[in-house]
Amino acid sequence: MMFTQAYASSISSPSRCSLITGTNAARHRVTNWTLQKNMSTDRKDNLLATPDWNYNGVSQVPGTNNTYVGTSFVQLLKDNGYHTIHCGKAHFGAIDTPGEDPHHWGSK
């Protein structure tokens, strides 16, 4: 299969958020690294004020500010009888947010 139209972010957090939710960075608004809870990783600038992006990443449960809440494709598969596994790094949110370690997402 050849993909002729694609979009990828230059850093990992937005790309991971896109993969798990099926939304692009313009929709989930995770545009930089997700690291510390409630702390933007954008560099300060004297001329440009950056928007209040979702620097806490993504989650399936509401309650964390600056977080995109959405259903993961993994949950959709589980709801339809599939069993999934993930191998590798799976961090979709800042430390101490539900997206930091999303293995529990399927237990809702």
Side-chain angles (χ1 to χ4, degrees), residues 16-90:
R16 284 193 190 106
C17 294
S18 292
L19 287 171
I20 197 74
T21 64
T23 58
N24 65 22
R27 181 167 303 269
H28 60 59
R29 297 183 55 173
V30 178
T31 58
N32 212 335
W33 321 46
T34 57
L35 183 58
Q36 300 294 328
K37 184 176 181 181
N38 296 326
M39 294 184 76
S40 174
T41 55
D42 291 325
R43 183 186 305 176
K44 302 297 180 204
D45 188 272
N46 293 331
L47 299 175
L48 179 67
T50 56
D52 204 15
W53 298 109
N54 285 331
Y55 42 77
N56 284 324
V58 299
S59 175
Q60 279 197 241
V61 294
T64 304
N65 292 333
N66 297 96
T67 301
Y68 177 77
V69 178
T71 302
S72 74
F73 80 92
V74 177
Q75 185 64 48
L76 295 173
L77 289 171
K78 181 178 180 181
D79 292 347
N80 286 282
Y82 289 87
H83 177 79
T84 62
I85 63 169
H86 173 83
C87 299
K89 188 174 178 183

